[in-house]
Amino acid sequence: MIISMVPRSTREQVEYVCGKIKSFGYAAHPIYGEERVVIGAVGDGKDKDRIISVMESVPGVESVIPILQPFKLVGRELKKQRTVIAFDGFTIGGDQFVVMAGPCSVEFREQLLSTAENVKAAGAKVLRGGAYKPRTSPYDFQGLEEEGLKLLAEARERTGLKIITEIINTENVDLVNEYTDIFQVGARNMQNFALLKRLGKMKKPVLLKRGMMSTLKEFLMSAEYIVSQGNGEVILCERGIRTFETYTRNTLDISAVPALQQLSHLPVMVDPSHGTGKRNLIAPVSRAAVAVGADGLLVEVHPKPEEAFSDGPQSLFPGEFKDLMDGVKKYVAVDGRSL
Ligand code: PEP
Ligand code: MN
């Protein structure tokens, strides 16, 4: 339920209300707005009507209304203003369009460092690269693991780019946390609830990819797992879903972007690489992502895609990435945003 405090409620009143919420076995999530404090009370729904009537009579409480959607904390009902995630130098979820780019997998020092220089020069803010790869086949390249994390950190050192890398299990959370700026949860792990809960305890943003067979509701419920543990910095990423179409690797659900933004206050990015699986579809789909209001892109770039250990056919050559950025820049400007 949403407990709206009166304007200029005192800290004591807010603390009292939070204590009362907890005494019912619910969790209290205060949101401090400019005008007033709104407190989300989230629990199993038991005794809801009684709790609402008790809370309505607590001093400092103006109104109490139930949250109708099952995703209580990531939904717009409780928090109207968009979540803006700040990094030094840029934000995700505000007026900026942020591009994260790099190879599917970290392979070699030279491969990663040259890609990092190239994507930085073209205007990317974050370097991507998988050090742990969740591959469909156990015989395929599984990633350089910690060595890959070290290379990502070196690339950050050299370029000033932030880094994002995939976390595939709970065991590696502390290790990956020593290196990364943003945790990436892949499509295959969208419903790895133990991992989501663990990342909810971390103090770094999490980019959560949509599972390839997940509805928007399931996607938002997975984000809810992270946020309910205390980590509100979640970025949703539409990366295509599986349909009957086989020409493209997945079917990028472009309408998911505005739908998610209407349902949730979290930033929404688009991954046109996995979303299409085809190099020559990345640029047009990226422009579509800008047009529907996505907060940014996650794009695969490789110095020699034909030699890539993974996802070569959907990886852009560095020159193509520069062209993509130049094209996207114009659309971002038309939308009144900056890159
Ligand atoms: C990736 O980003 O390389 C990746 C494995 O993506 P997804 O989880 O969307 O398949
Ligand atoms: Mn990939």
Side-chain angles (χ1 to χ4, degrees):
M1 61 200 76
I2 303 168
I3 299 169
S4 294
M5 302 298 290
V6 294
R8 289 174 297 282
S9 54
T10 63
R11 197 161 54 85
E12 287 73 22
Q13 285 174 325
V14 173
E15 275 170 14
Y16 181 78
V17 170
C18 289
K20 197 87 190 152
I21 293 168
K22 287 178 196 153
S23 74
F24 289 116
Y26 276 48
H29 298 265
I31 296 168
Y32 297 86
E34 271 172 31
E35 273 262 308
R36 67 178 78 234
V37 181
V38 171
I39 305 165
V42 182
D44 59 10
K46 216 162 36 127
D47 290 339
K48 197 170 73 187
D49 295 337
R50 187 173 66 86
I51 299 171
I52 289 178
S53 73
V54 170
M55 295 313 297
E56 273 171 342
S57 60
V58 172
V61 171
E62 189 172 75
S63 67
V64 185
I65 52 167
I67 303 177
L68 303 176
Q69 295 281 21
F71 34 87
K72 309 290 179 195
L73 301 175
V74 306
R76 287 267 192 181
E77 284 173 276
L78 175 63
K79 184 167 176 265
K80 305 265 179 285
Q81 66 274 34
R82 302 201 60 207
T83 292
V84 179
I85 304 176
F87 296 87
D88 29 77
F90 66 97
T91 58
I92 298 179
D95 290 337
Q96 262 176 306
F97 187 82
V98 173
V99 179
M100 306 181 180
C104 178
S105 309
V106 180
E107 299 165 2
F108 304 106
R109 185 163 180 271
E110 180 50 32
Q111 169 243 17
L112 188 71
L113 297 185
S114 76
T115 309
E117 301 284 354
N118 281 316
V119 302
K120 160 97 186 186
K125 294 282 194 286
V126 181
L127 175 68
R128 64 147 289 151
Y132 296 87
K133 297 303 301 177
R135 304 306 298 279
T136 301
S137 165
Y139 308 116
D140 286 342
F141 178 59
Q142 304 284 308
L144 293 184
E145 306 185 342
E146 190 171 5
E147 194 192 328
L149 297 174
K150 289 193 170 133
L151 292 175
L152 284 163
E154 185 182 350
R156 169 177 52 205
E157 196 68 27
R158 284 178 167 234
T159 58
L161 289 166
K162 297 287 173 210
I163 56 180
I164 179 169
T165 198
E166 184 163 351
I167 174 79
I168 60 174
N169 56 33
T170 49
E171 292 83 350
N172 289 341
V173 170
D174 289 328
L175 177 67
V176 172
N177 187 47
E178 283 176 34
Y179 295 92
T180 200
D181 298 303
I182 306 172
F183 288 104
Q184 174 177 327
V185 176
R188 290 156 191 81
N189 270 309
M190 190 203 84
Q191 288 190 317
N192 180 341
F193 300 121
L195 179 61
L196 301 177
K197 283 193 208 170
R198 187 69 212 289
L199 293 172
K201 302 273 185 221
M202 305 307 287
K203 305 245 171 319
K204 284 184 183 164
V206 178
L207 179 137
L208 177 66
K209 289 189 151 197
R210 181 181 182 181
M212 58 187 95
M213 286 164 282
S214 302
T215 64
L216 296 185
K217 182 176 154 192
E218 288 163 343
F219 190 16
L220 289 168
M221 292 311 289
S222 288
E224 186 84 8
Y225 262 94
I226 302 171
V227 177
S228 63
Q229 298 298 310
N231 186 353
E233 301 204 316
V234 176
I235 303 160
L236 303 170
C237 181
E238 165 60 37
R239 49 77 74 204
I241 48 176
R242 188 162 281 187
T243 67
F244 58 81
E245 181 55 72
T246 54
Y247 178 71
T248 47
R249 181 178 178 185
N250 290 290
T251 299
L252 191 106
D253 180 5
I254 200 78
S255 67
V257 177
L260 289 167
Q261 287 176 339
Q262 283 162 25
L263 292 168
S264 172
H265 49 80
L266 296 175
V268 182
M269 301 197 39
V270 166
D271 174 348
S273 307
H274 295 84
T276 65
K278 284 188 153 56
R279 186 176 300 124
N280 55 8
L281 295 178
I282 311 282
V285 169
S286 297
R287 295 195 293 270
V290 179
V292 292
D295 293 290
L297 298 172
L298 181 69
V299 183
E300 289 184 339
V301 181
H302 195 286
K304 291 186 190 145
E306 66 286 1
E307 291 176 16
F309 291 2
S310 57
D311 289 350
Q314 67 190 36
S315 299
L316 296 179
F317 287 89
E320 290 176 321
F321 179 69
K322 176 154 191 343
D323 293 344
L324 167 89
M325 292 295 278
D326 291 345
V328 159
K329 215 170 274 174
K330 294 183 199 138
Y331 283 74
V332 169
V334 167
D335 203 30
R337 299 193 281 163
S338 64
L339 196 68

